[in-house]
Amino acid sequence: MDERTWPLLPGSPEGRFILKLTIGADGLVEDIETESSPELKEAAERYAVMIRDWVFRPGEIGDRPVRSQLSLEFEIGTPPASDEAAPGGSSPGFH
């Protein structure tokens, strides 16, 4: 996913939050729980709305798709200047 499509959160404090997803055997997101500080609650909820439409490859036991859980951690903040970008071309601030 292109980081330009992430929600813009002007004025949001810097920090991290976690989204805990329940993925159905069909790969669709069934539930999302947010774990964040009160200051990042709005940001976590905006990301949850966007992620709810994602489709995942479901977990498997043997050859059978099963319901599974996935935790995603996000970091909100100002990315470093381009000359300070992480080696290997990875996008800073996205995990």
Side-chain angles (χ1 to χ4, degrees), residues 7-94:
L8 296 177
L9 304 167
S12 182
E14 294 187 7
R16 294 177 187 218
F17 60 87
I18 296 173
L19 300 180
K20 291 187 172 186
L21 286 62
T22 300
I23 310 298
D26 58 1
L28 300 177
V29 177
E30 293 181 352
D31 187 49
I32 301 177
E33 293 181 32
T34 61
E35 290 187 5
S36 68
S37 65
E39 298 82 19
L40 289 171
K41 182 174 175 52
E42 180 182 351
E45 289 174 352
R46 288 188 59 192
Y47 273 65
V49 167
M50 180 186 66
I51 289 170
R52 186 164 299 282
D53 293 332
W54 290 5
V55 178
F56 292 84
R57 181 175 164 187
E60 294 181 350
I61 295 181
D63 291 332
R64 186 174 53 104
V66 296
R67 190 175 193 216
S68 58
Q69 294 185 328
L70 174 68
S71 292
L72 301 174
E73 181 179 356
F74 295 90
E75 183 174 346
I76 302 294
T78 305
S82 60
D83 60 334
E84 299 174 22
S90 63
S91 298
F94 295 97

